[in-house]
Amino acid sequence: MIWKFTTAVFLFFFLLSGNLIGQELLPVKKSEFIDNDSNRKQAFAQVKEAAELYQKGIGYVPQSLNLFLSAYNSNDNNPELNYNIGLCYLITGPKDTALSYLLAAQSADADISADIHFLIGLAYKFQNNFSDAIIHFKMNKELIQQNKYKEQKELLPISDKHIQECRSGRLLIENSLDLEIQLVEGNVNSEFDEFNPQVLDSNLFFSSRRGLEDDSRSPEDQKFFEKLFKSSKSEAEGIEVHEEKNNLGENVNSTLLSKFDEKQFVFYNSNSGAGGLFLAEKVRDKWKVGKAIKFINEKDSRESSASLPQSGDEIYFVSNRKGGFGDCDIYYCKKESESKWSKPINIGGDINTEYDEGDVFISADGTKLFFSSKGHNTMGGYDIFKSDRQEDGTWGKPQNMGFPINSTDNDITYCEDRDGVFYFASERSGGKGGFDIYCQKIPEPVIEEVVAEEVIEEPVIELPEAKIEIPVTLPLVSFKSEAVAITETPVKQELVEEDFVYRVQIAAARKEMDPKDIFKRYKGDDVIDHLFVENWHKYTIGGFLTFKEAAKYRDACGVKDAFVVLFKGGYRLGIARRPFEAN
């Protein structure tokens, strides 16, 4: 069997979000694309240009995708082109659109790439089709394990993580909130990334990576640099969106994070190596970003998010400094006097995980902590979690904010205003492009009136010294948008749902075998199944749910060189040399 391999290095970020940073395209051969059609020659030139743009960085992937789609109109059967289009959609979105192209690529060439089932699993996951996603993640694992593809070994734990997220997603959607989120009004969202909403003095501030073609781009990902914008309402002109100027220059990523005191605000900017937190104030119509927050920032780490309650007596922030539970953790400092703060303290392993915690927001009254995480029971990428402050001042067990606040894509930068409206950014399909900012008002608790049942009076027998307890009926209070706590348990029915079957292969030949030759090898009376795959005629018997049963049948069937193969429906996954781990 000859497999085509992509030569990309899968970064660990792939494990946590499904973003395919560093993933390479498959080469589209001119000889297999052009067949005496002048339009196809022009289309192939677009394919070459698209591949060149793709290599420049993730910021150019949308342009690359548009060129691939234009070429697709001239040749929609090329498997490599379908693969590349599916890959671009998984990177730049809408990610659920990738599925049809990846299935077309795999249908045209079952061996299109060693990671095709993994990518199809991602595409199903972004459509909330968790059962089919799990099937393909498991197919990907089995193919790697049975065929020993060293280049793809890193996909084994990544697939396990996605399978776990699919199980969480299935439960979260089953317990979805009675809530309909919506895109923020006006020109806040665009085809570029918008994130980090902050409501200050009735104005919505947010960051955006929008720009014009000639604007500077970040060397890290070739997207435009972050800029700060403000959205405000005017009776005369409606909703207005304006860029907020600062003294940092053009080629700097800067973000407004929180209010520090009456005059000062916390900014993030990456003008200091890894990036850190700085104090800023508004001078006339321009933000003046000043001194670094020394009691937080470390020289060799990145501090990327911060939030303070209205009291201003503590500050929570995110850092990738050494000694944490994962790459990025949540820390806090307490105010000890007017000018002195405590040293940073890790918030602990109940909230921080071995994965990334991405951003943090504390409510104005200091009783609720919201943060994004790739750990806990996320349904994909970053999910938003909530923790309530306990009576002893510690933070309670995090709860997933549930669907539809969270999705199978990245959901980040949650905040609330004083009117009970919450905002967050999400990379999900259905927006204007990239990350978009969504909002909704927190529903008021619903008091369900309890109707007293008619009581039939019966004779009461009084017993000596008996104490009669009088039942008291209280109104029931439910909060339909309460965060959903999910227990992470495997779905036991998966093996049956996904239809994995072990069979025993007794013969294989390039040409179809004569029945008498088959019966010379196998003298039993089981039904022989004939399958033509990869230019081989393969003959199998039996059908078992476990490897142990199939191996026992293999040893007793009378064919010395028989072996066990694993099928999903009619699809042959490969030789099974040991039990397949279903969970």
Side-chain angles (χ1 to χ4, degrees), residues 19 21 54 56-62 91-92 220-223:
N19 286 346
I21 296 177
Y54 183 93
K56 294 175 70 173
I58 191 173
Y60 288 94
V61 174
I91 294 172
T92 193
E220 295 178 356
D221 56 14
Q222 292 301 314
K223 290 187 177 185

Side-chain angles (χ1 to χ4, degrees), residues 565-578:
V565 290
L566 181 65
F567 284 78
K568 163 59 180 74
Y571 185 87
R572 183 182 184 276
L573 296 182
I575 300 172
R577 294 185 177 88
R578 57 180 177 74

Side-chain angles (χ1 to χ4, degrees), residues 72 82-83 85-86 89 95-107 120 123 127:
Y72 176 84
N82 274 281
Y83 176 97
I85 291 173
Y89 270 123
K95 296 178 183 179
D96 55 0
T97 308
L99 181 61
S100 61
Y101 296 97
L102 294 172
L103 289 175
Q106 197 263 339
S107 176
I120 290 173
Q127 291 193 354

Side-chain angles (χ1 to χ4, degrees), residues 5 30 34 173 192 199 277 293 390 392 415 445 483 511 520:
F5 285 92
K30 185 175 181 180
I34 298 175
I173 288 181
F192 303 98
V199 180
L277 304 179
I293 304 179
Q390 307 299 297
D392 61 359
C415 78
K511 294 183 179 181
K520 285 181 182 179

Side-chain angles (χ1 to χ4, degrees), residues 359 370-373 378 382-386 399-402 405-406 411-414 423-425 428:
D359 50 75
F370 300 90
F371 63 96
S372 296
S373 175
T378 173
Y382 284 108
D383 272 13
I384 298 168
F385 292 83
K386 170 192 170 186
Q399 294 181 307
N400 191 303
M401 290 290 286
I405 293 175
N406 287 316
D411 306 289
I412 60 173
T413 57
Y414 179 99
Y423 301 81
F424 67 97
R428 69 190 66 188

